[in-house]
């Protein structure tokens, strides 16, 4: 008996799914930050401002206060060093799956790497080994329990070992010194023992204290990988095996096993590539009304796939990405990236189109820029990873 032909999914169909599932078309915007984070299977949080900008772009009523509520009051959103060795803000419901499938393995590698570097660090101080590191971590957690929350510098007053420095690349022209405190707190965060609390200052501030958190429940690793793959495919599928492997940072074997465990079905993309989709999830999403969006650098949608030609022209990559592959602020029209944007020192939101999209598109983009400017108010945001077009636009 011959097998049924694989269903074919056009680029237009993928873009229609994107509008609804990524909450980008106005009719599909969300009511809460948690809803946004779950729809995208996490918000990129390496640049703290991205969480706010990505969430508010998709909220029916943009509100930095709602993002702060989720992060710091309800703590319904937690940050984990996870997929692709990147910090993601995920809901507490998703956190156990992300932690067990990805974050714990990364934390183990972080610990091994830090110990290797600490063993080479003496400079007149007591030598570092597993026992001293474990003892220092316990002292930090005890100090946090007593204080409630504290910055790394404040904790250094209670735990003197944090004030030591770690020399990297000794003797090289690029030799540098790093605070051992910053590395130990990063490790405790990767292990799920501490979290970043509300910044001292505005939501764009990089000065933040640490606070203790309850442990994230452990799960079977294979079960956790399957669930993460299922959620990702529901939001980003149909997508290729290479897309999922790239997004998660898993091995090819783990990626294929997870797809098999969730019973993913094959489909054919417009360029003949084999993609995967959840069983029963190939009904066409309704074509949305025309829509525009201004998304920030590192936004989950722009960074959602390894293969991007269906929404991003390769000709636009040099202007919109840095050399490390980080996307900058992007302008979207009906599911395609057609330009970039920036905020100038006076607060003005400016953009440039890299493709002619017509008067309707320009009017919709102008309306989105006004919407963004209105909720930003006096706040000024500079992306952590700057790209050629963003730098040029910001400089005016």
């Amino acid at each position: 008996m011959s097998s049924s032909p694989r269903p074919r999914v056009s680029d237009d169909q993928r873009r229609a799914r994107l509008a609804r599932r990524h909450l980008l078309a106005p009719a599909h915007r969300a009511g809460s930050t948690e809803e946004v984070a779950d729809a995208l299977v996490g918000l990129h949080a390496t640049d703290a401002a991205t969480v706010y900008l990505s969430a508010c772009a998709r909220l029916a009523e943009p509100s930095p206060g709602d993002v702060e509520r989720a992060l710091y009051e309800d703590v319904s959103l937690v940050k984990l060093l996870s997929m692709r060795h990147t910090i993601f803000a995920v809901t507490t419901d998703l956190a156990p799956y992300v932690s067990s499938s990805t974050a714990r393995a990364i934390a183990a590698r972080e610990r091994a790497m830090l110990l290797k570097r600490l063993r080479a660090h003496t400079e007149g101080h007591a030598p570092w080994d597993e026992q001293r590191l474990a003892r220092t971590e316990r002292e930090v957690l005890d100090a946090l329990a007593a204080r409630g929350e504290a910055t790394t510098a404040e904790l250094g007053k209670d735990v003197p070992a944090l004030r030591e420095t770690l020399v990297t690349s000794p003797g090289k022209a690029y030799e540098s010194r790093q605070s051992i405190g910053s590395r130990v707190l990063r490790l405790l965060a990767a292990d799920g023992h501490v979290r970043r609390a509300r910044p001292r200052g505005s939501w764009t501030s990089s000065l933040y204290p640490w606070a203790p958190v309850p442990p994230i429940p452990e799960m079977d690793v294979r079960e956790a990988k399957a669930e993460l793959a299922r959620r990702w495919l529901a939001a980003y599928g149909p997508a290729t095996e290479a897309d999922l492997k790239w997004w998660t940072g898993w091995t090819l074997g783990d990626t294929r096993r997870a797809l098999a465990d969730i019973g993913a079905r094959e489909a054919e993309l417009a360029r003949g590539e084999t993609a995967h989709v959840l069983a029963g999830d190939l009904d066409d999403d309704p074509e949305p009304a025309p829509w525009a969006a201004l998304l920030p650098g590192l936004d989950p949608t722009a960074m959602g796939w390894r293969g991007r030609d269906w929404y991003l022209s390769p000709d636009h990559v040099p202007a919109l990405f840095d050399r490390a592959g980080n996307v900058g602020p992007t302008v979207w029209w009906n599911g395609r990236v057609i330009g970039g944007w920036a905020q100038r020192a006076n607060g003005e939101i400016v953009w440039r189109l890299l493709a002619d999209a017509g008067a309707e598109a320009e009017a919709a983009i102008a309306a989105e820029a006004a919407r963004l400017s209105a909720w930003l108010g006096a706040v000024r945001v500079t992306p952590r990873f700057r790209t050629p077009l963003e730098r040029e636009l910001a400089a005016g």
Side-chain angles (χ1 to χ4, degrees):
M1 180 183 293
S2 62
S3 59
S4 300
R6 295 184 305 186
R8 186 174 175 84
V9 184
S10 70
D11 288 347
D12 285 341
Q13 287 173 303
R14 296 181 81 184
R15 288 190 283 265
R17 291 163 72 94
L18 186 73
R20 179 171 71 85
R21 300 184 188 212
H22 286 220
L23 312 176
L24 290 168
H28 300 295
R29 286 176 179 155
S32 72
T33 299
E34 293 89 343
E35 185 181 346
V36 175
D38 271 342
L40 296 167
V41 201
L43 298 169
H44 279 261
T46 305
D47 184 342
T50 297
V51 178
Y52 291 82
L53 292 163
S54 291
C56 288
R58 297 167 170 87
L59 289 174
E61 297 182 9
S63 168
D66 190 71
V67 182
E68 289 189 320
R69 172 198 57 75
L71 285 170
Y72 308 124
E73 295 170 18
D74 297 346
V75 195
S76 51
L77 216 59
V78 297
K79 295 181 181 180
L80 293 174
L81 182 63
S82 50
M83 288 74 74
R84 296 195 316 284
H85 215 277
T86 296
I87 300 175
F88 277 79
V90 301
T91 61
T92 49
D93 174 62
L94 181 59
Y97 300 101
V98 172
S99 177
S100 296
S101 70
T102 309
R104 288 195 173 133
I106 291 174
R109 293 197 293 270
E110 287 276 308
R111 180 172 296 277
M113 185 181 301
L114 179 57
L115 275 167
K116 181 179 179 180
R117 292 177 177 174
L118 287 174
R119 287 190 181 104
H121 166 75
T122 54
E123 292 202 336
H125 298 292
W128 285 87
D129 55 18
E130 293 93 336
Q131 290 72 33
R132 189 180 181 207
L133 178 57
R135 184 169 63 252
T136 300
E137 289 178 302
R138 287 195 300 271
E139 291 172 359
V140 169
L141 294 176
D142 288 344
L144 271 180
R147 286 177 173 267
E149 64 176 48
T151 63
T152 303
E154 289 167 345
L155 288 167
K157 298 175 182 177
D158 301 326
V159 186
L162 298 182
R163 302 201 297 269
E164 296 179 26
T165 55
L166 178 66
V167 180
T168 61
S169 305
K172 306 290 186 180
Y174 45 88
E175 175 181 313
S176 65
R177 294 174 180 271
Q178 296 177 347
S179 159
I180 285 180
S182 65
R183 298 302 300 271
V184 170
L185 267 299
R186 173 186 168 93
L187 185 59
L188 284 168
D191 274 334
H193 296 302
V194 302
R195 65 176 177 86
R196 295 180 181 186
R198 189 187 299 272
R200 304 274 173 88
S202 75
W203 53 265
T204 61
S205 172
S206 59
L207 178 61
Y208 51 84
W210 298 94
V213 289
I216 296 173
E218 292 190 22
M219 299 189 61
D220 175 78
V221 173
R222 184 166 176 172
E223 178 186 344
K225 287 182 185 292
E227 178 61 13
L228 185 62
R230 187 192 68 77
R231 294 196 188 204
W232 184 84
L233 211 54
Y236 294 83
T240 67
E241 182 180 88
D243 289 328
L244 178 58
K245 178 181 180 295
W246 176 83
W247 186 84
T248 56
W250 295 342
T251 66
L252 181 58
D254 282 342
T255 303
R256 288 176 172 172
R257 189 176 301 111
L259 288 169
D261 284 346
I262 60 175
R265 300 291 185 257
E266 288 189 353
E268 184 177 329
L269 300 181
R271 293 158 187 80
E273 302 160 286
T274 297
H276 298 270
V277 66
L278 294 177
D281 190 33
L282 267 183
D283 292 337
D284 282 349
D285 282 30
E287 187 71 27
W291 61 273
L294 271 61
L295 300 183
L298 296 180
D299 186 82
T301 299
M303 296 291 289
W305 298 263
R306 183 180 181 185
R308 300 167 178 149
D309 289 0
W310 60 280
Y311 65 91
L312 171 68
S313 168
D315 294 340
H316 300 162
V317 170
L320 297 173
F321 285 73
D322 70 9
R323 292 182 179 179
N326 299 303
V327 72
T330 49
V331 175
W332 292 68
W333 175 244
N334 291 339
R336 292 185 178 90
V337 176
I338 63 168
W341 65 274
Q343 185 185 41
R344 291 183 175 157
N346 65 0
E348 181 185 8
I349 303 296
V350 293
W351 70 93
R352 180 181 301 164
L353 301 187
L354 302 174
D356 182 18
E360 182 182 18
E362 294 199 19
I365 292 162
E368 284 302 302
R371 180 175 180 262
L372 173 60
S373 182
W375 74 257
L376 280 176
V379 173
R380 301 292 178 265
V381 179
T382 301
R384 179 174 175 181
F385 303 103
R386 306 198 69 184
T387 50
L389 182 56
E390 186 276 329
R391 286 183 181 274
E392 183 182 345
L393 290 172

